[in-house]
Amino acid sequence: MLKPLPDYPWDQMVPFQARARAHVGGIVDLSIGSPADPTPDVIRAALAAATDAHAYPQTAGTPELAAAITDWYARRRGVPGLTQQQVLPTIGSKELVALMPFMLGLGEGDTIVHPLAAYPTYAIGAAMAGAEALACDDPALWPKGTKLIWLNSPGNPDGRVLSVAELRASVARARELGALIVSDECYAELGWDAPWDLTPIPSILDPRVTDGDTRNVLAIYSLSKQSNMAGYRAAFAAGDAAVLARLLTVRKHAGLMLPAPLQAAMIAALGDPDHVAVQREKYRARRAVLLPALLDAGFRIDHSEAGLYLWATEGRPAWDSIDWLASRGILAGPGPFYGDHFAEHVRFSLTATDERVAAAAARLRA
């Protein structure tokens, strides 16, 4: 029997959102990581040129898209040699996270591990399949019966980056358990603190992690963040060809296919690193404004060395911080939404405009 799903947590934010909107200077919404900047012209032009899409698209994606993804992994993620059968486009990454347990046939009696500070959909996907979710960051404590392990590096909400050594240990433990291990890496182009400001953030598919053996190892990636394509729902998975073949078969039966114009837009996005570099600097500048203002207001920043968020605490209950912020017209994400261990944390997004981030910094200091 499937477990009942919890209420959607963000519904709890409605009264705080109303308070923040009533602020004389308007709301500064730093709660959701939804891009505020325009989609780059090179992507929009590719989409427009591909709107004659009279035939059904391929669920596996076009050969051109597969080549763009494999080339991108070689150039940007240090993962050479992937084949067309080792990549699969998806309709955003959230649907893949939510449906992965179901598509793999997991259910009652199976354990799905995810990080302590975690994107809630990892646990929701387990509940939708009737499996058990376990929050645990220590591979040594992952139990027998574990079938699926989620990693998230850089992490949402905490911006934590897993090193090559940590990824290797995780993969080794997954293989001891006979479990599939999947790394959600959609913030990997956004490294801030040393060494990730200069050193590429490692992928779980990096040969230094896998020794070239991608069996039962997957990475997933989204273009929502680095390319401002959240509205396009453009993402992909890569790694074990056998696992991806299973996912492809299920997706064919379910009609889960990425529209052809969006596939063309993805090809353009993956082939143009310049717009990614521009967007990265926008986020770096916003972070440089918001972070010191949070420190001046009495917050401590934990991890947050990469990604789109600042993971902060005042050392008091998160809902007290959320209330205090809302009275200043600022909306943030409550730590309890991301795990039971984070009752005193709040998450601040860097995706607001320059003007709104500057307004938040001024209000924090006031």
Side-chain angles (χ1 to χ4, degrees):
M1 179 180 295
L2 295 183
K3 300 174 178 63
L5 297 179
D7 293 334
Y8 190 60
W10 288 97
D11 291 345
Q12 299 175 61
M13 293 297 294
V14 171
F16 299 101
Q17 185 180 57
R19 283 190 67 195
R21 287 193 185 283
H23 191 275
V24 65
I27 189 173
V28 179
D29 191 345
L30 305 179
S31 64
I32 303 292
S34 184
D37 300 306
T39 304
D41 289 342
V42 64
I43 298 169
R44 297 166 67 181
L47 179 76
T51 51
D52 179 14
H54 50 275
Y56 287 112
Q58 300 174 53
T59 306
T62 64
E64 293 79 12
L65 177 55
I69 295 171
T70 57
D71 290 348
W72 178 84
Y73 264 106
R75 286 185 289 105
R76 304 298 301 177
R77 305 294 286 123
V79 183
L82 292 177
T83 67
Q84 181 174 339
Q85 290 69 40
Q86 288 182 282
V87 297
L88 178 66
T90 64
I91 309 166
S93 59
K94 183 172 184 175
E95 62 95 346
L96 183 61
V97 172
L99 294 179
M100 179 83 75
F102 165 76
M103 290 192 287
L104 295 174
L106 302 185
E108 188 173 353
D110 296 326
T111 297
I112 296 174
V113 171
H114 61 75
L116 283 175
Y119 183 51
T121 309
Y122 304 131
I124 293 296
M128 288 169 60
E132 294 293 330
L134 173 66
C136 182
D137 288 335
D138 185 351
L141 299 179
W142 296 344
K144 292 181 179 179
T146 297
K147 299 298 184 183
L148 172 61
I149 298 160
W150 286 105
L151 302 181
N152 185 199
S153 177
N156 173 13
D158 61 357
R160 176 188 175 202
V161 175
L162 298 177
S163 67
V164 168
E166 289 170 314
L167 291 170
R168 279 186 67 90
S170 297
V171 169
R173 177 58 176 162
R175 287 180 169 155
E176 289 176 3
L177 296 168
L180 172 67
I181 187 166
V182 186
S183 181
D184 183 349
E185 302 176 348
C186 68
Y187 304 99
E189 293 270 16
L190 305 174
W192 312 123
D193 293 341
W196 311 120
D197 53 343
L198 300 175
T199 302
I201 292 169
S203 170
I204 198 171
L205 298 177
D206 192 307
R208 295 173 296 171
V209 174
T210 65
D211 295 325
D213 180 3
T214 60
R215 288 176 298 172
N216 271 345
V217 180
L218 291 183
I220 63 174
Y221 202 84
S222 167
L223 299 181
S224 296
K225 317 304 181 185
Q226 70 177 48
S227 299
N228 297 330
M229 293 178 70
Y232 285 60
R233 312 311 302 133
F236 46 87
D240 186 331
V243 175
L244 291 177
R246 161 75 184 187
L247 300 181
L248 176 60
T249 298
V250 175
R251 297 175 72 82
K252 284 179 177 178
H253 283 297
L256 295 173
M257 58 189 79
L258 194 67
L262 302 189
Q263 294 190 39
M266 287 179 68
I267 293 170
L270 290 164
D272 179 59
D274 293 343
H275 78 272
V276 179
V278 169
Q279 189 61 48
R280 173 185 166 124
E281 293 311 306
K282 289 181 180 179
Y283 287 138
R284 187 196 301 276
R286 290 165 188 164
R287 185 177 186 270
V289 171
L290 184 60
L291 191 155
L294 287 170
L295 295 176
D296 289 347
F299 286 86
R300 184 186 77 231
I301 308 299
D302 292 336
H303 294 300
S304 306
E305 57 261 32
L308 275 182
Y309 309 105
L310 293 171
W311 189 228
T313 178
E314 294 181 278
R316 61 172 175 160
W319 290 106
D320 289 351
S321 295
I322 292 295
D323 184 65
W324 182 85
L325 290 162
S327 70
R328 286 150 180 80
I330 301 169
L331 205 64
F337 286 7
Y338 304 96
D340 295 338
H341 298 80
F342 302 99
E344 296 183 345
H345 278 77
V346 292
R347 190 194 75 169
F348 295 87
S349 172
L350 303 176
T351 55
T353 64
D354 293 347
E355 184 274 330
R356 289 287 83 187
V357 170
R363 294 176 193 181
L364 288 165
R365 289 196 168 98

